[in-house]
């Protein structure tokens, strides 16, 4: 039975990844400091092959059993989280990634870094291919996240080149689904929570900035395939269906069946104007492409939020 360690495993994406690994018959060690994750995301897991360790990845971690795979997802991910935790975000991207890579090296385990489309910053090339170096403001408020991830990518490549660690880097584009926190500030939970409560839907700027939203099951499948591939260089995983944020707000409102008005708010500093993954590389190397249509993904997410709200959470 292979053993996989997932840092950030009590978060939104990490908990879905733990589910997938357990269903594939892996033993899973989930490491999380519960900064932005929650035990609720893993409370349904009853398997004896699942271990939870409350630990901050910026600190050294020893694991006294063989490890086959290390998935490093620990990091604040929502703009309101990383703006609230700027130093911690830089530390988990640097020291945290160093510790996770050290574990993979010691155990001769495969390693996967959860990087982000934010490494492209406010892109001047559209759609974004992996060979685009990006357009990031290092000293703006978002710089703490973007540069932490860019440094994490550099560190991962150095561990591969100098230490021979079997590394992989996924650049994740906006992903949504059940277990996002209603108040995490990202577009999907904000809009769905507001539409459900009949409150105004807060669209930042004039809503003409674009994003491309991927359902979580598709993302997890892409991550899984990448870790088991031979590709060392970064691979974009995301859904190329691009839309404006205003169109996205309207799609959420339609699925919820809500009459909430749209309310325009100031655009955050350095908010990227466009974002769309070029996924030719994932298609070619991994045979991967997203399968879940936006409307279906939104319906599944809505069911989850309704259940959580009816349980008073
Ligand atoms: P999330 O906030 O739900 O999950 C992050 C998890 O990491 C949380 O459980 C948090 O408690 C944990 N964590 C944070 N700092 C830690 C530390 N020092 N030690 C241990 N655990 C720590 O966010 P998510 O959306 O699930 O994101 C997971 C990863 O994927 C992140 O690395 C994020 O940058 C990346 N990513 C996500 C998206 C997306 O759209 N969801 C897009 C691009 C990249
Ligand atoms: N956004 C918005 N209203 C909100 C939250 C976000 O208009 O209440 C916008 C945000 O400005 C950005 C897009 O939605 O243009 C996606 O934001 P999110 O935080 O989900 O992810 P990002 O792509 O910015 O990391």
């Amino acid at each position: 039975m292979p053993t996989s360690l997932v840092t950030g495993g009590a978060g939104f994406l990490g908990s879905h990844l733990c589910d997938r690994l357990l269903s594939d018959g892996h033993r899973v060690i989930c490491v999380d400091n519960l900064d932005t994750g929650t035990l609720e995301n893993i409370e349904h897991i009853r398997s004896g092959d699942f271990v939870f360790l409350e630990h901050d990845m910026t600190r050294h971690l020893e694991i006294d059993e063989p490890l086959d795979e290390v998935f490093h997802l620990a990091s604040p991910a929502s703009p309101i989280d990383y703006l609230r935790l700027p130093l911690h975000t830089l530390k988990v991207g640097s020291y945290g990634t160093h510790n996770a890579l050290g574990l993979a090296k010691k155990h001769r385990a495969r390693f996967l870094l959860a990087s982000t489309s934010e490494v492209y910053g406010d892109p001047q090339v559209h759609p974004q291919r992996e060979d685009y170096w990006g357009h990031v403001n290092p000293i703006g408020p978002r710089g703490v996240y973007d540069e932490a991830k860019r440094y994490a990518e550099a560190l991962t490549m150095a561990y591969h080149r100098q230490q021979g660690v079997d590394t992989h880097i996924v650049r994740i584009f906006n992903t949504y689904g059940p277990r996002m926190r209603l108040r995490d500030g990202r577009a999907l939970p904000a809009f769905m929570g507001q539409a459900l409560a009949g409150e105004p839907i807060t669209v930042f700027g004039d809503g003409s900035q674009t994003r491309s939203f991927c359902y979580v099951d598709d993302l997890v499948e892409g991550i899984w395939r990448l870790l088991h591939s031979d590709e060392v260089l970064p691979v974009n995983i995301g859904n190329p269906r691009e839309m404006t944020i205003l169109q996205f707000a309207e799609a959420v409102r339609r699925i919820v069946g809500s009459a909430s008005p749209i309310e325009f708010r100031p655009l955050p500093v350095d908010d990227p104007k466009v974002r769309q993954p070029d996924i030719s590389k994932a298609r070619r190397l991994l045979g991967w492409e997203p399968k879940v249509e936006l409307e279906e993904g939104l319906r599944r997410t809505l069911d989850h939020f309704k259940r959580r709200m009816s349980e008073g959470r």
Side-chain angles (χ1 to χ4, degrees), residues 35-36 76-86 89 181 183-184 186:
D35 250 357
T36 60
S78 156
I80 59 167
D81 288 330
Y82 60 74
L83 297 176
R84 177 172 60 86
L85 301 165
T89 303
R181 281 173 299 134
R183 307 243 166 262
D184 92 353
R186 288 185 270 195

Side-chain angles (χ1 to χ4, degrees), residues 77-80 82 116-118 142 145-146 173-175 180 184-191 194 200-213 244-246 248-249 263-275:
S78 156
I80 59 167
Y82 60 74
T116 168
S117 52
E118 283 281 324
R142 293 176 89 100
Y145 181 67
D146 303 6
F173 283 64
N174 297 64
T175 301
M180 292 184 100
D184 92 353
R186 288 185 270 195
L188 182 276
F191 295 167
Q194 291 159 345
I201 297 182
T202 55
V203 167
F204 299 160
D206 61 5
S208 64
Q209 70 274 30
T210 69
R211 293 294 186 272
S212 310
F213 292 91
T244 67
I245 287 301
L246 185 55
F248 184 61
E263 199 171 277
F264 293 94
R265 298 268 176 88
L267 190 67
V269 177
D270 294 336
D271 198 283
K273 287 180 259 324
V274 289
R275 185 182 288 156

